[in-house]
Amino acid sequence: MIIIMKPNASSEAVEKVTNLIQSKGLQVHLSKGDEVTIVGVVGDKTRLHGSNIEISDGVDKIVNVTESYKLVNKKFHPENSVIPVGNTVIGPGTLTVMAGPCAIENHDQLLSSAYAVKKSGATFLRGGAYKPRTSPYSFQGLEEEGLKYMKEAREATGLNIICEVTSLRAMETAVKYVDMLQIGARNMQNFELLKEVGKSGIPVLLKRGLAATIDEWLNAAEYIISEGNPNIVLCERGIRTYETATRNTLDISAIPVIRTKSHLPILVDPSHATGVRAYVEPLSKAAVAVGADGLMIEVHPCPSCALSDGPQSLTFEQFDTLMKDLKPYMDLAGRK
Ligand code: PEP
Ligand code: MN
């Protein structure tokens, strides 16, 4: 439930309403716009029965939020969020490009990738140290050793660092090294991990689950924000459909749909969405055109030698060309 205050409501009126809500054991989430203040109520709203909040001074109207996610809901927070991460921000007006190898394989592979993606204009280095592989016999990642290379890459290039965590143990190690945690598609509904990431307060990229609806995805984000961490960025990475020509099907409509339902920024990962290098460029352009706040792209010094996801990884040259080709799309979309 949200309480929309009148444009001229005094701060005393807002305080009176918030005190009343808190006195019933409910949480308040205040959103102060230029003209209107919105008071979000989190918790069991039946506790407010009989308190006549609608006739309290300065109250314009009460709107019931029917969705189960509240704090990530646009109705609670009509302005799009800007998420500070490392030395930058993710959100409206910007286009954040995160690039790098699927997995951190060795020191030189990661460092050369970092220099290359930085030169082409990326602001984040991605690289998996804990790899959630379909087969237990595939390369599982370098774990902390890989994170040390990530840290070195940040010191050398100034890039922000993002790394996926697949367990609480991985998270406890990764927080010592990274600017942003990534929750992968396979862990989108690992609620215990989501709660811990929420408690950590560290910015998090939450990928959409392989077969998750948009509402399930936003509920996963609600798990993180309800533990006190509002620094969440969503990432559409394709969903399972009957189509086999691509690894997954990029749900391009998810971007405008998320825009209407949530204030959180959304990135697109065309690499995992398609599994095919040749489709990364057209879908990156589509993502920017449709209003995405950024891209996550796999880049490798030698895609054919990659230990994971080589077929979808771009070479340094291909990534550089893509970044140049994106410029007119960014200008049209009003993104820097
Ligand atoms: C990744 O980004 O490395 C990854 C495994 O992606 P996803 O969780 O989207 O499959
Ligand atoms: Mn990958």
Side-chain angles (χ1 to χ4, degrees):
M1 168 178 158
I2 59 178
I3 298 156
I4 301 173
M5 303 300 291
K6 290 181 180 152
N8 59 356
S10 64
S11 49
E12 290 77 28
V14 176
E15 205 182 315
K16 200 172 151 209
V17 169
T18 51
N19 287 344
L20 175 61
I21 297 163
Q22 282 162 342
S23 72
K24 304 284 179 189
L26 298 164
Q27 275 181 43
V28 167
H29 183 267
L30 265 194
S31 175
K32 285 194 176 145
D34 285 343
E35 290 181 6
V36 171
T37 296
I38 292 176
V39 185
V41 182
V42 186
D44 177 7
K45 63 178 190 230
T46 57
R47 293 193 195 171
L48 286 173
H49 283 167
S51 52
N52 291 332
I53 239 168
E54 57 280 8
I55 54 167
S56 198
D57 262 2
V59 171
D60 185 9
K61 61 179 172 213
I62 294 188
V63 178
N64 284 316
V65 179
T66 44
E67 294 87 358
S68 50
Y69 48 91
K70 311 284 178 201
L71 299 175
V72 302
N73 199 313
K74 191 139 196 167
K75 288 180 190 151
F76 260 58
H77 191 295
E79 282 158 38
N80 289 329
S81 284
V82 176
I83 309 296
V85 189
N87 60 17
T88 187
V89 295
I90 303 176
T94 65
L95 189 88
T96 300
V97 179
M98 304 182 172
C102 178
I104 306 161
E105 297 169 9
N106 57 60
H107 177 269
D108 291 357
Q109 173 246 20
L110 188 72
L111 270 285
S112 63
S113 301
Y115 285 116
V117 302
K118 163 91 185 185
K119 192 163 155 262
S120 301
T123 51
F124 278 78
L125 177 66
R126 64 145 289 142
Y130 303 89
K131 292 308 301 173
R133 306 305 300 281
T134 302
S135 162
Y137 307 117
S138 301
F139 176 59
Q140 301 287 310
L142 295 184
E143 304 194 350
E144 190 161 7
E145 185 191 344
L147 292 169
K148 288 184 179 154
Y149 300 153
M150 282 294 242
K151 192 173 172 206
E152 188 181 331
R154 177 180 43 198
E155 279 158 14
T157 60
L159 286 167
N160 300 293
I161 302 298
I162 176 163
C163 209
E164 175 171 358
V165 289
T166 49
S167 65
L168 178 55
R169 185 179 65 85
M171 190 195 97
E172 283 167 353
T173 309
V175 295
K176 294 185 256 167
Y177 298 93
V178 302
D179 298 294
M180 189 171 210
L181 298 167
Q182 176 175 322
I183 297 290
R186 289 156 194 80
N187 276 304
M188 189 208 83
Q189 284 188 317
N190 182 341
F191 299 119
E192 291 310 311
L193 187 58
L194 297 177
K195 284 192 234 169
E196 292 302 326
V197 166
K199 285 181 198 140
S200 80
I202 303 208
V204 54
L205 184 77
L206 178 65
K207 287 193 150 194
R208 182 176 182 181
L210 304 163
T213 65
I214 287 179
D215 277 10
E216 285 164 346
W217 188 14
L218 290 173
N219 272 300
E222 189 77 13
Y223 265 90
I224 299 171
I225 202 169
S226 63
E227 293 292 338
N229 185 356
N231 300 316
I232 307 166
V233 176
L234 302 169
C235 181
E236 162 61 40
R237 48 77 72 208
I239 47 172
R240 283 260 164 104
T241 67
Y242 53 79
E243 183 53 70
T244 54
T246 46
R247 185 175 173 179
N248 295 288
T249 299
L250 178 65
D251 181 8
I252 200 80
S253 60
I255 295 93
V257 172
I258 288 288
R259 243 351 138 231
T260 62
K261 288 175 173 270
S262 177
H263 53 88
L264 297 177
I266 176 166
L267 308 192
V268 170
D269 172 349
S271 308
H272 290 92
T274 61
V276 181
R277 183 177 309 125
Y279 305 149
V280 169
E281 181 226 289
L283 292 178
S284 297
K285 291 176 177 170
V288 177
V290 83
D293 298 297
L295 296 164
M296 171 173 265
I297 295 172
E298 285 189 339
V299 177
H300 195 285
C302 171
S304 60
C305 331
L307 295 183
S308 64
D309 288 349
Q312 69 196 32
S313 300
L314 302 187
T315 62
F316 295 163
E317 294 72 31
Q318 286 165 335
F319 179 65
D320 194 60
T321 306
L322 169 65
M323 291 297 276
K324 291 193 174 105
D325 290 352
L326 279 180
K327 184 74 178 52
Y329 291 81
M330 288 168 60
D331 292 344
L332 278 173
R335 304 253 168 194
K336 286 203 200 79

